[in-house]
Amino acid sequence: MTDPRRTEHVHPQYTHLDTLPTTELVQAFADDQLGAVQAVQKAGASIAAAVDAALPRLERGGRLVYAGAGTSGRLGVLDATELTPTFSWPAERAVPLIAGGERAIRQAVEGAEDSFDLGIKDAQAAQLGPDDILIGIAASGTTPYVLGALQAAREAGALTIAMANNPGAPILNAAQCGILLDTGPEIISGSTRLKAGTAQKITLNTISSALMVRLGKVYGNLMVDVKATNTKLEGRAVRLVQHATERDEATARTALEEAKGSVKTAIVMLELGLKASEAEELLGRHGGHARAALQEKT
């Protein structure tokens, strides 16, 4: 019997994959990944709808909660983890749930993804509320753990978003915002860590980054809420201030020191000739949006 899930089909174009010379093998893998980009592009309207639905909840203080198993779960962990250094997003407001717990990040935990009840239990333990958003991720779209987490989230009144790589997948129907990433058969049959996983990664990047833009953590296309936790990021913060204000390096560094490392505050200080405390107060009145703060004074 043929599995109806397209991600489980054998790709007809690559039946002699193991015979290809290395250069052709590498090119085949690269070419097949283009399918991930195309799938995300086709899902653009659904992704935008999910962002618009999630935004007001985050503005009220809600959390992004991710639920997945295997590769999908690890991608959720990655997206949640990267929000803090990139946007100074509070770590407690990005909660990854992965079937099997933290051990599953590095090794398979047998049976965990097959437990609907474990998904319910983990989501309930996260104490979801009406302002939270749960993003369920599963290439197959049938993972019981994710279905359980989505059910618990709905019962808690949270917004539910689901992404899957197969048309008609159950998790798409189990969520308020379903995102189909129809990537089709994998170049290596069933290995959804390939273009299915790539499409999921692009989509997670897009959702979380778009939300951060809407929340005022980006000015123009500058990452003005970056958390400078190492030498590389400290240098990046200086360059961001320089670029936004057209000031020299010494001036940018001085402003950043007075702003306690806040790129956004330093920009407002330099552009409007304000003290750090004044810039912070102005930004506060505008919900942290640098453009709105600057426009008030111009």
Side-chain angles (χ1 to χ4, degrees):
M1 181 178 177
T2 303
D3 193 312
R5 295 172 296 183
R6 282 167 46 77
T7 54
E8 298 301 315
H9 292 183
V10 176
H11 202 307
Q13 186 177 343
Y14 299 109
T15 55
H16 297 92
L17 188 70
D18 59 338
T19 69
L20 294 178
T22 303
T23 53
E24 292 182 26
L25 180 62
V26 169
Q27 191 63 51
F29 278 113
D31 289 346
D32 197 56
Q33 289 290 312
L34 294 174
V37 177
Q38 293 164 356
V40 176
Q41 289 173 328
K42 289 179 181 178
S46 298
I47 296 169
V51 171
D52 286 339
L55 180 61
R57 296 178 188 242
L58 293 185
E59 289 176 328
R60 294 193 297 265
R63 298 172 296 166
L64 285 167
V65 182
Y66 306 75
T71 296
S72 298
R74 295 179 192 108
L75 289 170
V77 172
L78 180 60
D79 199 67
T81 302
E82 290 181 338
L83 291 181
T84 298
T86 308
F87 299 109
S88 294
W89 187 251
E92 64 272 15
R93 294 183 65 191
V95 181
L97 307 177
I98 181 169
E102 288 191 12
R103 185 162 65 94
I105 295 172
R106 288 298 305 275
Q107 62 187 88
V109 177
E110 290 188 18
E113 71 176 68
D114 297 325
S115 176
F116 183 89
D117 291 341
L118 181 60
I120 291 178
K121 179 182 176 183
D122 284 356
Q124 288 177 338
Q127 298 182 320
L128 294 164
D131 288 336
D132 293 326
I133 299 103
L134 184 131
I135 304 175
I137 316 158
S140 67
T142 60
T143 307
Y145 176 86
V146 178
L147 286 165
L150 286 167
Q151 177 175 302
R154 288 197 313 274
E155 291 173 352
L159 175 69
T160 52
I161 299 170
M163 61 182 73
N165 299 85
N166 286 302
I171 73 165
L172 298 178
N173 297 322
Q176 291 152 285
C177 299
I179 301 170
L180 171 61
L181 304 170
D182 189 3
T183 46
E186 295 286 0
I187 185 171
I188 296 177
S189 178
S191 182
T192 52
R193 61 180 285 272
L194 296 171
K195 68 172 178 279
T198 299
Q200 291 173 356
K201 179 68 167 69
I202 296 171
T203 303
L204 288 170
N205 279 350
T206 301
I207 291 173
S208 58
S209 298
L211 285 167
M212 294 302 122
V213 171
R214 290 287 178 257
L215 290 167
K217 293 183 171 295
V218 174
Y219 171 55
N221 65 341
L222 304 181
M223 191 170 58
V224 293
D225 260 349
V226 62
K227 195 176 186 66
T229 55
N230 57 43
T231 301
K232 178 189 74 175
L233 293 177
E234 287 172 0
R236 181 177 295 164
V238 171
R239 292 191 296 275
L240 288 169
V241 174
Q242 286 185 267
H243 182 88
T245 65
E246 298 184 346
R247 301 304 207 278
D248 59 39
E249 181 179 342
T251 302
R253 285 189 181 277
T254 298
L256 273 170
E257 289 173 6
E258 293 176 11
K260 298 178 181 178
S262 170
V263 172
K264 187 189 300 183
T265 302
I267 291 170
V268 174
M269 287 169 59
L270 291 174
E271 289 292 88
L272 300 179
L274 301 176
K275 297 178 181 178
S277 59
E278 294 170 331
E280 288 170 0
E281 191 274 333
L282 180 59
L283 282 163
R285 290 206 308 269
H286 291 278
H289 289 256
R291 187 173 299 279
L294 290 170
Q295 287 175 344
E296 178 186 314
K297 293 292 185 177
T298 57

